[in-house]
Amino acid sequence: MFLFQGVNDIKAEPGATADQLIAGYRRLADRVHAAGKCVAVATIAPYKGWPEWDPAGEAVRREVNTFLRTSGEFDAVTDFDRVLRSPDDPERILPAFDGGDHLHPNDKGMQAMADAVDLESLDCGSP
């Protein structure tokens, strides 16, 4: 399973906390692993400039991304945050990848995301 979610939970009103999101990721990973499958996860992409972005949500995004990168609870991690973020403002999508709303990547951004996925990492030995 490839798991890429979280930004909608953060930007919702009220937004989810990092602890709530992390608990949800853990539940999903546990269920997938219990079914004998592997779970690859992607970090939450930047979205500053979207009307519902705020510093509190950004703090949640960063905390969750740190968990996703370092927890070891997933069979693979693809870092969409690093792929999409602007080096000039890491809370924003790189302008060349921004679909115009500061949340959704354009075709080039989607291609960069696809290219970042290590397809071999999605095979964790399950039949």
Side-chain angles (χ1 to χ4, degrees):
M1 177 178 102
F2 192 88
L3 179 58
F4 176 44
Q5 66 175 38
V7 73
N8 287 335
D9 300 304
I10 294 170
K11 66 183 191 61
E13 189 58 44
T17 66
D19 288 342
Q20 290 169 326
L21 284 170
I22 290 167
Y25 277 103
R26 284 187 165 134
R27 279 192 302 275
L28 288 168
D30 288 348
R31 290 174 69 185
V32 171
H33 287 141
K37 305 293 181 189
C38 62
V39 59
V41 68
T43 57
I44 302 170
Y47 69 102
K48 185 177 181 181
W50 178 261
E52 295 161 327
W53 181 92
D54 64 26
E58 178 63 20
V60 169
R61 187 182 77 84
R62 286 181 182 213
E63 185 175 342
V64 171
N65 282 349
T66 297
F67 162 77
L68 296 175
R69 289 180 185 116
T70 63
S71 71
E73 296 186 37
F74 307 95
D75 300 290
V77 178
T78 300
D79 202 336
F80 287 163
D81 173 41
R82 287 195 177 124
V83 168
L84 293 175
R85 72 181 173 210
S86 170
D88 298 324
D89 187 351
E91 297 170 350
R92 290 184 183 273
I93 295 176
L94 184 70
F97 292 158
D98 191 339
D101 64 4
H102 311 298
L103 175 66
H104 299 97
N106 61 17
D107 289 346
K108 287 181 183 179
M110 290 294 209
Q111 187 63 59
M113 292 166 65
D115 291 344
V117 177
D118 174 7
L119 296 178
E120 290 183 16
S121 74
L122 301 179
D123 179 9
C124 63
S126 301

